[in-house]
Each structure stands twice: as C-alpha cells, then as structure tokens.
Amino acid sequence: MNAMIDTEVTVMLISTKGRYALRVMLDLAEHYGKGFLPMKEIAKRQNISLKYLERILPVLTRNKMIEGLQGKGGGYRLTSAPDMYRVGDILRLTEGDLAPVACLGCAADICERSGTCKTLPMWTEFHKLTNTYFDGITLSDIMK
C-alpha cells in the first residue's frame, strides 16, 4: 500500500514588488548624476507597467532611498551614490522581511516552542546568512 505524505514546502520567494524595486533602483543607479528620470522612461526601460511603478516609487521615496520632483523636468533620482545602497535594505523595505520561517519574522510573537525547537538554530543561521549575503551587495556591485 502506498501512503501519500502530505508535505508543506516553504520556499523563500522574493515577490514581484521586491524584484521590481531592485530593478528600478538599479536603473536609477545606472543613470546616477544625470538628473531626475521620468517614471515613463524607467517603466519603458525596465518593462514595468506605470501602474506597478506607482506602487513601488512612493515606498522608496517615503524611506528616502529616492527623491521625486513633480512637473516639467521632474522624475526620480537616488538620494545617495549607488555604492551606498545595499540590496538587503531594498529587499527588506519592499518585502518586509527575509525570514525563512514565520517565527523569525520581524513581527513574530515569541514561539512557545523556541526553547525546545531543535530546528530553530538552523533557521536562525540561514536567516543570518541570507541577510549577510544581500547586505554584502550594493547597487554598484551589480552594475559591475
């Protein structure tokens, strides 16, 4: 008799929002020092809809990663040099968290099993490795 095992697979996926935000930031980095870039130009180069950009750009602006200017000659630009932006910061801003399991998330309550959970140290180390990896990459690094 074949028994079917019901398994739940947990995979850390970076959402479209996170991937697009990184592409937008990279686009702005590649044009750093050339003034404000119109949203339409960014959308066209990155093949991202204007509607989607209208959701991403305010998040980046509110968190002072980019600045926007309305009107003629307006658009968006980085607030700092490309080497000042870590991929980890961009992803955490748009993803909210890079935790591989719920109990390590920013807003997670302390798990009642944390004192006896044999897998928690493994997940904690994986979380540290992920953050260290993404924090070690800047927009400048990606441009090279």
Side-chain angles (χ1 to χ4, degrees):
M1 180 165 110
N2 290 337
M4 238 176 124
I5 299 173
D6 183 24
T7 59
E8 181 181 324
V9 178
T10 303
V11 179
M12 181 179 72
L13 293 175
I14 303 299
S15 72
T16 302
K17 185 177 182 182
R19 293 190 322 271
Y20 283 7
L22 193 53
R23 284 172 44 193
V24 166
M25 293 295 289
L26 188 56
D27 191 280
L28 293 172
E30 289 170 338
H31 295 89
Y32 182 70
K34 297 178 182 172
F36 288 91
L37 300 175
M39 185 169 44
K40 284 183 182 180
E41 287 181 17
I42 299 167
K44 185 176 181 181
R45 276 193 300 271
Q46 294 304 317
N47 195 27
I48 301 172
S49 74
L50 283 172
K51 199 164 197 72
Y52 212 104
L53 274 185
E54 288 170 352
R55 293 176 52 204
I56 296 171
L57 293 173
V59 172
L60 298 171
T61 303
R62 267 193 314 274
N63 288 278
K64 307 213 183 316
M65 290 202 157
I66 63 174
E67 60 183 336
L69 179 66
Q70 299 287 329
K72 186 175 172 74
Y76 294 89
R77 68 180 180 190
L78 297 179
T79 56
S80 299
D83 63 345
M84 300 302 294
Y85 294 91
R86 301 181 312 175
V87 169
D89 294 330
I90 298 165
L91 291 177
R92 279 187 296 275
L93 179 63
T94 54
E95 297 298 311
D97 201 320
L98 298 176
V101 291
C103 62
L104 292 177
C106 293
D109 293 331
I110 295 176
C111 177
E112 62 187 46
R113 294 183 35 86
S114 64
T116 59
C117 180
K118 294 184 186 279
T119 62
L120 184 58
M122 174 192 67
W123 292 123
T124 301
E125 186 61 25
F126 180 72
H127 190 214
K128 286 179 192 172
L129 288 168
T130 302
N131 281 282
T132 300
Y133 175 74
F134 285 130
D135 287 341
I137 303 170
T138 66
L139 292 178
S140 290
D141 295 330
I142 296 172
M143 290 174 14
K144 293 177 184 172

